[in-house]
Amino acid sequence: FSADGSRAGTIDRQAEREYLKKLVLDSVSSEHSRRAYGFALDEFFSWYGAGDRGPFRKALVQEYRAHLEALGFAASTINVRLAAVKKLASEEADNGVLAPELSAGIAKVKGAKRLGVRGGNWLEIDQARQLLQAPVGHGAKAVRDRAILGLLIGCALRRAELVGLEVGKIQQRAGRWVIPDLKGKGNRLRTVPVPAWVKQLVDAWVSKSGLVEGALF
């Protein structure tokens, strides 16, 4: 794949793709976005190389969008894939690989429309209670698992936020237990309330494990 649609040897083509992919990933700070964009670009390059495609321009990206829609992907998935391709065009233009007018055309490609709002899945109160009671006993593993489930259910933490949580990070503010300045997706900071029952589960794990500092889990 190349900006002008020319085809070189297999090795050169692969090296070019890795270079272009690196341009995009180096411009993104979020680890989550880096993974998503990296996968999206691999998929785009694979699609491009599987057929006799034209040069990298608006018409090509529109063709790719139609391909994703034909596969039945959700609008959110399609839009993430397109965002990565648009970012590729932008970085190529900034680095003199792609003409600015071609990049501007690609940026105008419309994303997939979201039809309605996804309902999603969630636990009922009884289901959440049963899950919390799943770790049986008073051993270290059971106490740890109850603390983990408590933070996931009671505080709605993401997995990355959970594994990054440190001893002493749960603090009391204005008479309430909270996790202040928690860095989440996109490096955004937020303060997370911690219910008393979750704090009790965490305290039980800290006492059982003898942790003084560092990561909780």
Side-chain angles (χ1 to χ4, degrees):
F1 171 80
S2 66
D4 61 1
S6 63
R7 293 177 181 274
T10 301
I11 296 177
D12 290 342
R13 193 160 61 241
Q14 182 60 33
E16 181 187 30
R17 291 177 180 179
E18 290 301 318
Y19 166 72
L20 296 175
K21 180 179 172 181
K22 187 174 185 299
L23 286 181
V24 174
L25 300 187
D26 286 348
S27 69
V28 179
S29 59
S30 167
E31 187 61 33
H32 175 78
S33 296
R34 286 172 62 87
R35 288 196 301 270
Y37 279 19
F39 178 79
L41 290 176
D42 286 340
E43 291 294 298
F44 174 67
F45 290 144
S46 177
W47 169 82
Y48 184 88
D52 186 16
R53 316 291 180 193
F56 189 32
R57 60 182 60 183
K58 183 179 180 181
L60 176 75
V61 179
Q62 289 175 324
E63 180 184 350
Y64 183 57
R65 184 191 64 191
H67 164 73
L68 296 175
E69 291 172 341
L71 291 176
F73 286 128
S76 57
T77 300
I78 294 174
N79 290 336
V80 169
R81 301 281 181 92
L82 291 178
V85 174
K86 291 179 181 180
K87 185 67 172 173
L88 172 64
S90 174
E91 290 302 319
E92 284 193 8
D94 288 346
N95 287 274
V97 180
L98 184 69
E101 60 270 19
L102 293 179
S103 175
I106 292 172
K108 294 178 181 179
V109 174
K110 295 182 179 179
K113 293 183 178 179
R114 297 173 183 264
L115 302 177
V117 178
R118 181 180 297 177
N121 297 313
W122 58 86
L123 295 176
E124 300 291 345
I125 294 177
D126 288 342
Q127 292 174 320
R129 185 179 293 112
Q130 291 174 11
L131 183 58
L132 287 167
Q133 293 172 348
V136 178
H138 301 285
K141 184 177 184 301
V143 175
R144 181 204 64 188
D145 289 351
R146 283 195 289 269
I148 289 174
L149 290 171
L151 287 165
L152 290 173
I153 295 172
C155 302
L157 297 188
R158 296 182 176 89
R159 288 173 295 179
E161 295 170 343
L162 175 71
V163 299
L165 193 60
E166 296 185 351
V167 176
K169 187 62 177 177
I170 300 178
Q171 303 173 9
Q172 198 166 39
R173 301 285 177 89
R176 297 189 305 166
W177 290 105
V178 299
I179 305 174
D181 300 330
L182 181 67
K183 183 180 291 186
K185 185 177 179 181
N187 291 323
R188 290 188 291 269
L189 297 178
R190 73 184 195 280
T191 295
V192 179
V194 179
W197 62 270
V198 175
K199 182 64 166 59
Q200 291 173 0
L201 293 175
V202 173
D203 287 346
W205 165 239
V206 171
S207 176
K208 189 76 174 181
S209 63
L211 289 170
V212 177
E213 60 182 3
L216 263 174
F217 306 107

